[in-house]
Amino acid sequence: MTDTSTTRLARVPDTAATVLAAVEAIAPHLRGRSPEIEGDRRLPADVVELVRSTGVFRMGFGAEFGGPALTAAEQTRVLAALAYGDTSVGWCAMVGMDSGLFANYLHPNAVRELFPTLDESIAGMLAPAGTAVPVPGGYRVTGRWSFASGITHADWVFAGTRVIGPDADSSIPPDHRPWRVVLVPPHEVELVDRWDTTGLRGTASLDYTLTDVFVPGHRTFDFGAPRQATGPLSTPDLQMRKMPGVALGTARAALDHAREIAQSKRDKATGRPWSQDYRVQYTLGDCEARYLAMHHGVYRSLEHRWNRLCEGISQNELTADERVETALARLHAFRTAREIVRSLYDLHATAAVYRPSPFDRWLRDLDTMCQHFMAQDQIVQSAGAFLLGGTPHNPLVLGILDQSRSRR
């Protein structure tokens, strides 16, 4: 980083309240930069530094590293405030702050080497789309990964791999081989820019490749081996919990914007104020009800999960209902946020279709967000299967690595 950045980092907020206040202060500026962010298909450098200066990237670091140790609910509130300003910024920050969450799976000395300051951004894909071959001192890694949101400004890149030995048993299916995450500096990856999408265009979620790159062992980790056996950071779903903040912030921005418009708009045909129109009143009331339900569902599930794990129980000691709660609340937030914005888009009719209207961008962002695997039917199936003692299609979303079952 430059000397200028280091000077700014010395004043970075370091509590839940001060980080949130700093983010809320820059949200109007981010809203004004949204067309530029979308047009560039990435965050401008000065926007990255502005976000960095709020303390967002350090939210997941614990006290042992001098971090603010925000809870999952506190992280989510901050990301919602960022997305209120710009959805792509909120999404990039949601991924970029994973450095502190991954720290619980790395040796402390490795954390201090990788993150000499706590305000470095990280990007990548956890899905094991590559291979890692054990060699003396580490692994040789090859593969191609997609959807690396924020990779154009990342300080480190992570990649999920399957570990295969030179004498690997070919009878073992690839998805049963050990899963390991590696961290590499950006200059070691080759970027493949095919990020020309419907929404979240400003996230620069590019593909990237590694070709026979050596990664030292201390820069790799296994989600099945946290440094602490219990606690809220000991479970493999830790980086997923704050994801709904982006959907919540986007929906809140759309609702507030719609209410502001309704205060002064009149129907062109009748001259009737929108504030007195039954359809407008009903739509805003209905959208607000849906927002409140998803908002309370997300934060209740996050706070309950965090508090239970802080009691010292393990993930497997949670009841089946507790295990599925955060995943279902997260999916519900993605889908409900899209429904809300779709209703507001329809309410504003032709006025919403023009690109200067933020409703167009918000709807496209949420449409794209809902294509993420965390918003797919497989999440619902996995939750239902787990509750019934069946086989989840994607057990990781419930924090399950060994597919063991908890019972009521």
Side-chain angles (χ1 to χ4, degrees):
M1 295 181 187
T2 65
D3 292 340
T4 301
S5 297
T6 303
T7 301
R8 293 180 69 180
L9 293 179
R11 300 190 297 272
V12 170
D14 59 0
T15 67
T18 56
V19 173
L20 180 59
V23 165
E24 290 175 337
I26 69 169
H29 176 77
L30 297 178
R31 181 77 60 83
R33 300 288 295 275
S34 287
E36 175 191 356
I37 292 169
E38 180 169 67
D40 290 349
R41 296 185 302 115
R42 64 188 62 196
L43 305 192
D46 67 306
V47 169
V48 174
E49 294 309 312
L50 186 61
V51 173
R52 196 191 308 276
S53 71
T54 66
V56 166
F57 295 143
R58 65 172 49 200
M59 292 195 296
F61 281 101
E64 65 179 302
F65 300 112
L70 269 62
T71 68
E74 290 168 338
Q75 296 165 16
T76 302
R77 288 190 181 91
V78 170
L79 294 173
L82 264 182
Y84 187 87
D86 182 82
T87 308
S88 288
V89 173
W91 190 268
C92 285
M94 179 270 295
V95 177
M97 62 151 291
D98 281 345
S99 49
L101 301 179
F102 293 164
N104 201 55
Y105 293 80
L106 294 162
H107 190 281
N109 291 340
V111 175
R112 295 184 180 95
E113 174 194 328
L114 290 164
F115 309 110
T117 78
L118 305 184
D119 300 286
E120 299 189 15
S121 177
I122 198 166
M125 173 56 69
L126 291 172
T131 58
V133 179
V135 296
Y139 300 87
R140 307 294 305 191
V141 178
T142 298
R144 175 167 175 161
W145 296 260
S146 302
F147 307 114
S149 302
I151 197 170
T152 55
H153 62 258
D155 298 292
W156 287 93
V157 176
F158 59 87
T161 68
R162 292 292 184 187
V163 179
I164 59 171
D167 301 317
D169 185 348
S170 60
S171 67
I172 301 176
D175 59 354
H176 282 66
R177 292 168 182 160
W179 176 34
R180 197 157 195 85
V181 181
V182 305
L183 286 84
V184 299
H187 70 263
E188 292 186 349
V189 307
E190 181 179 348
L191 300 181
V192 182
D193 186 358
R194 62 187 189 98
W195 190 245
D196 187 5
T197 56
T198 301
L200 291 178
R201 291 180 60 82
T203 61
S205 301
L206 278 56
D207 291 11
Y208 62 102
T209 65
L210 290 167
T211 305
D212 196 33
V213 172
F214 174 73
V215 182
H218 69 277
R219 285 206 262 113
T220 75
F221 66 89
D222 171 4
F223 274 121
R227 287 189 286 110
Q228 301 295 327
T230 61
L233 299 181
S234 65
T235 60
D237 67 333
L238 77 165
Q239 85 285 351
M240 305 174 195
R241 297 179 205 156
K242 32 63 172 177
M243 290 180 69
V246 186
L248 286 166
T250 305
R252 185 71 263 168
L255 270 165
D256 287 353
H257 187 61
R259 288 166 65 173
E260 182 181 359
I261 290 174
Q263 294 298 319
S264 58
K265 187 177 179 67
R266 289 179 175 270
D267 186 273
K268 290 182 179 179
T270 66
R272 184 180 180 83
W274 264 36
S275 61
Q276 300 301 318
D277 185 277
Y278 179 89
R279 175 171 173 261
V280 175
Q281 293 168 342
Y282 179 87
T283 300
L284 289 179
D286 179 62
C287 288
E288 194 67 40
R290 285 184 276 172
Y291 176 84
L292 290 172
M294 73 169 177
H295 177 277
H296 291 303
V298 165
Y299 287 110
R300 190 271 178 193
S301 69
L302 291 174
E303 289 164 358
H304 178 77
R305 170 72 65 90
W306 193 273
N307 291 338
R308 288 282 282 141
L309 293 173
C310 281
E311 293 171 1
I313 67 172
S314 71
Q315 174 90 347
N316 286 339
E317 292 176 291
L318 294 170
T319 68
D321 294 274
E322 288 174 322
R323 292 284 285 274
V324 305
E325 187 179 28
T326 54
L328 290 178
R330 179 168 54 239
L331 175 142
H332 182 256
F334 282 129
R335 293 184 172 183
T336 303
R338 178 171 61 176
E339 292 170 3
I340 288 171
V341 175
R342 168 64 73 184
S343 294
L344 298 174
Y345 186 96
D346 289 344
L347 176 67
H348 289 81
T350 55
V353 305
Y354 293 96
R355 286 298 174 93
S357 167
F359 289 116
D360 170 77
R361 184 174 62 253
W362 287 324
L363 183 58
R364 288 185 289 103
D365 286 344
L366 284 163
D367 267 334
T368 299
M369 208 181 301
C370 283
Q371 306 318 307
H372 193 281
F373 81 92
M374 294 306 303
Q376 298 300 303
D377 288 349
Q378 63 175 283
I379 308 303
V380 183
Q381 180 276 333
S382 295
F386 188 74
L387 292 173
L388 296 174
T391 302
H393 179 78
N394 194 328
L396 177 62
V397 300
L398 307 179
I400 306 166
L401 288 179
D402 60 1
Q403 301 204 31
S404 60
R405 301 288 185 269
S406 294
R407 298 297 183 194
R408 286 187 178 88

